[in-house]
Amino acid sequence: MNRFFNLLCLVFTLSVGTVFAQSEEDREMIQELLRQAEEVKEVSHDSALQMGQRAELMSRNFGFEDQVYEALALQGFIYQRMGRLDEALDFQLKVLAYNKKSGHDKKLIGSYNDVGMLFFDIGNYEKSRSYLQKAIELSNEIADFAGAKISLMNM
């Protein structure tokens, strides 16, 4: 009985280790795809967008929520470069919602800036100012004066 239990524990440990190793390989593969998309985004919007979409899909399938939102942010940036501002805003608002719940204050400041600048580009200056003001307030709250400086320059 004891020998069976030890064998069962060994099998479980090996399988968990394999799953963990596989998930790290999957995470690295997605990160590489995002890196490649970043490299080509100025040259080929379509290729970068396809890579971002693939990275998003893979991240969702593997349950890597942080990488889902990294892929969404990339796609939003590409749509912005393409002049498709409403689509860019949809993506960046999703990223903002994620950053609000994740507790990453510096990423949240960046999201407020991104959304604020998109509203500016769309011509909604009141909303732009509101989001940039939130970025400044949070920057001051956490003593991120470099972040506050960027937000102030955006205003």
Side-chain angles (χ1 to χ4, degrees):
M1 177 76 167
N2 195 19
R3 181 185 260 173
F4 176 74
F5 180 74
N6 288 341
L7 182 60
L8 187 62
C9 287
L10 177 64
V11 169
F12 177 76
T13 302
L14 290 174
S15 65
V16 168
T18 302
V19 168
F20 180 74
Q22 183 64 40
S23 73
E24 282 305 307
E25 288 174 15
D26 295 334
R27 186 176 285 281
E28 289 172 13
M29 181 176 56
I30 294 166
Q31 201 58 44
E32 178 61 21
L33 190 57
L34 290 168
R35 188 192 63 72
Q36 289 174 3
E38 284 284 343
E39 284 182 6
V40 300
K41 71 182 177 192
E42 299 299 332
V43 180
S44 174
H45 297 310
D46 291 334
S47 294
L49 196 54
Q50 288 173 353
M51 288 180 202
Q53 290 165 343
R54 263 197 337 252
E56 177 193 353
L57 181 63
M58 291 169 63
S59 298
R60 285 187 192 284
N61 288 340
F62 291 122
F64 301 146
E65 188 176 21
D66 58 324
Q67 285 183 315
V68 168
Y69 288 95
E70 194 175 335
L72 290 173
L74 174 70
Q75 291 172 74
F77 178 81
I78 295 166
Y79 279 123
Q80 184 177 7
R81 288 286 206 214
M82 296 170 78
R84 295 165 63 177
L85 300 180
D86 289 334
E87 289 167 284
L89 183 60
D90 286 343
F91 278 90
Q92 295 303 350
L93 286 170
K94 290 175 187 173
V95 174
L96 175 65
Y98 170 74
N99 285 332
K100 279 183 181 179
K101 74 177 187 176
S102 73
H104 297 284
D105 288 336
K106 289 193 177 198
K107 287 184 178 184
L108 181 56
I109 292 166
S111 286
Y112 280 135
N113 275 311
D114 292 342
V115 170
M117 293 310 297
L118 275 165
F119 275 119
F120 183 86
D121 291 345
I122 290 170
N124 190 332
Y125 304 117
E126 192 61 37
K127 278 194 173 182
S128 173
R129 185 178 162 285
S130 172
Y131 280 94
L132 294 172
Q133 187 63 43
K134 288 176 185 179
I136 292 168
E137 290 168 5
L138 183 56
S139 295
N140 288 333
E141 192 177 302
I142 66 166
D144 178 14
F145 301 113
K149 180 180 176 182
I150 291 168
S151 301
L152 282 167
M153 290 186 331
N154 284 339
M155 284 185 101

